Amino acid sequence: MEKKLERMRATLRRRLAFFAMGSGCILLLAVLASTWTLSPLVGDTHYADFFAGFQMGMLFGLELVAIFFVVRYLLALRDDARLTALLLEEQDERTQYVEQMAGRYSWRWMTILLLAAAVVAGYFSIGAFVALICAALAEALLTGILRFHFNRQTGGTD
Amino acid sequence: MKSIIRQLRRERKLSQEELAAAVGTTRQTITSIEVGKYTASLPLAYKIAHYFGLTIEEVFDFSDWEEN
């Protein structure tokens, strides 16, 4: 168990660095966006304001997520009981099963929804149609690559 | 799949939380296994059986599976 905890500590330190860097980047983007150094390329002022507000909201939300994980991992690194609970939670096979099943069904429905949205969008905007078709194809391609990879990883030889 | 985990726990006055920590899983997973909503993997079934000093067949009831 001690070896597992030590590996978990190393993993959490890496994640902390990632989230701290992410948090810094988000803050930088927020400063640039609020000083209009980075502004949406929309001619109409009404839409430009809307997009700017939307982006700031997104950045604020992402910053909150980053701070949540930084605090969670810092507390786990300082307290072995929390670290053990986090380790068990992440390694729990039922949780992994739930995630696998959710992923398995979500990509199928996402592809169907993207294709349906592409058909509808095609009546209004060719740009949206192409973007949605590309997203559906990218998702299908990624799924195929991942299936091939995991099939090889778990496959045996005679 | 049915099991006698709950019965074994009660005999030993063991909480789900304690069993979960001992076999490296969560309390929710132990609950799901006890009520038969989730089938434990072979490694987890082995850990649980080993923890109680029994074999997998003694802890888990495979009769439904054998019929199918």
Side-chain angles (χ1 to χ4, degrees):
Chain A
M1 191 67 176
E2 194 46 48
K3 270 186 183 176
K4 278 185 180 177
L5 286 177
E6 203 43 58
R7 274 204 298 271
M8 187 70 180
R9 279 190 199 101
T11 306
L12 288 191
R13 281 188 203 109
R14 277 198 301 273
R15 286 188 201 169
L16 259 178
F18 172 80
F19 278 108
M21 267 172 39
S23 175
C25 289
I26 292 167
L27 280 175
L28 182 68
L29 273 174
V31 169
L32 290 176
S34 63
T35 54
W36 291 93
T37 312
L38 272 181
S39 55
L41 293 171
V42 183
D44 190 318
T45 321
H46 174 73
Y47 284 114
D49 286 345
F50 171 76
F51 283 126
F54 183 78
Q55 282 174 345
M56 282 304 282
M58 281 271 287
L59 290 173
F60 181 70
L62 286 172
E63 185 64 25
L64 281 182
V65 170
I67 290 170
F68 169 79
F69 281 107
V70 165
V71 172
R72 189 178 196 208
Y73 295 154
L74 275 176
L75 289 174
L77 281 172
R78 287 177 186 174
D79 181 3
D80 274 4
R82 278 178 194 267
L83 185 69
T84 309
L86 191 62
L87 177 72
L88 292 180
E89 190 186 310
E90 290 199 2
Q91 287 193 344
D92 179 48
E93 64 172 50
R94 191 176 134 274
T95 308
Q96 287 170 2
Y97 170 77
V98 169
E99 280 172 11
Q100 273 175 22
M101 294 304 281
R104 188 167 145 186
Y105 288 106
S106 69
W107 78 259
R108 284 183 192 167
W109 281 103
M110 191 52 80
T111 309
I112 292 168
L113 286 173
L114 280 172
L115 290 173
V119 171
V120 176
Y123 290 106
F124 306 102
S125 160
I126 188 70
F129 171 78
V130 172
L132 287 166
I133 288 288
C134 285
L137 286 176
E139 192 179 30
L141 182 69
L142 186 64
T143 305
I145 291 168
L146 288 173
R147 273 192 175 189
F148 178 73
H149 168 71
F150 288 119
N151 199 24
R152 279 193 58 158
Q153 200 180 52
T154 55
T157 51
D158 291 335
Chain B
M1 180 183 281
K2 289 174 194 163
S3 75
I4 57 162
I5 296 174
R6 181 166 288 175
Q7 183 191 324
L8 292 167
R9 262 194 325 102
R10 283 182 179 160
E11 282 170 11
R12 287 162 177 77
K13 293 187 171 42
L14 198 69
S15 70
Q16 289 182 330
E17 197 86 52
E18 287 165 334
L19 176 62
V23 297
T25 190
T26 59
R27 186 190 55 77
Q28 289 86 343
T29 299
I30 297 294
T31 309
S32 299
I33 295 169
E34 281 186 0
V35 298
K37 278 193 173 179
Y38 176 72
T39 303
S41 69
L42 184 59
L44 182 58
Y46 172 77
K47 279 184 193 172
I48 293 170
H50 191 253
Y51 181 80
F52 290 116
L54 299 167
T55 62
I56 292 176
E57 294 97 316
E58 285 170 324
V59 177
F60 295 92
D61 179 10
F62 288 89
S63 56
D64 287 350
W65 284 37
E66 281 163 4
E67 282 168 21
N68 295 328

